[in-house]
Amino acid sequence: QVQFVESGGDLVQPGGSLRLSCVATGNIFSFYVMGWYRQAPGSQRELVARITRAGATTYADSVNGRFTISRDNARLTHYLQMNSLTQDDTAVYYCNTDPARYNWGQGTQVTVSS
């Protein structure tokens, strides 16, 4: 059974940075594209970044140039470095494969507010 544990969310001021981490139980990283998703209140969950097994990355327009996704297959972990945060980035952030094949974890709350 694959599970994801997300961490690193926090309250941060506009313009600040955060680094999120996602650990997967079960060695799936070698096989799948991994993604970071987010869900703001009243909105659907959306994919914001994805990384292939070879390390190729793709970003949603709303975060392109500000967020960086990376992966460490040996540690079964992938990361989301978020810079220049704005209030529009406030959401619960989740990780999963892309497309999402497994149950969602608890997510990690990112709140951008002054």
Side-chain angles (χ1 to χ4, degrees):
Q1 182 74 17
V2 174
Q3 292 183 322
F4 300 103
V5 179
E6 302 94 346
S7 63
D10 204 345
L11 170 63
V12 62
Q13 291 187 343
S17 298
L18 284 175
R19 188 193 195 208
L20 307 183
S21 299
C22 170
V23 179
T25 61
N27 187 5
I28 63 171
F29 277 24
S30 297
F31 304 102
Y32 294 121
V33 175
M34 300 303 301
W36 278 100
Y37 301 76
R38 70 185 180 187
Q39 186 168 21
S43 299
Q44 291 189 336
R45 189 156 17 211
E46 62 171 344
L47 177 69
V48 297
R50 64 194 299 272
I51 184 166
T52 69
R53 290 174 291 174
T57 57
T58 308
Y59 300 93
D61 289 344
S62 59
V63 307
N64 195 26
R66 301 186 298 119
F67 290 11
T68 302
I69 187 173
S70 59
R71 65 193 292 165
D72 184 336
N73 290 341
R75 290 183 167 84
L76 307 180
T77 302
H78 70 292
Y79 307 95
L80 186 68
Q81 177 67 42
M82 305 187 297
N83 299 327
S84 302
L85 287 162
T86 74
Q87 291 182 337
D88 290 341
D89 297 315
T90 295
V92 180
Y93 284 71
Y94 302 88
C95 57
N96 210 312
T97 55
D98 176 38
R101 290 181 171 86
Y102 300 99
N103 291 336
W104 296 98
Q106 294 295 313
T108 186
Q109 176 70 50
V110 172
T111 303
V112 184
S113 176
S114 55

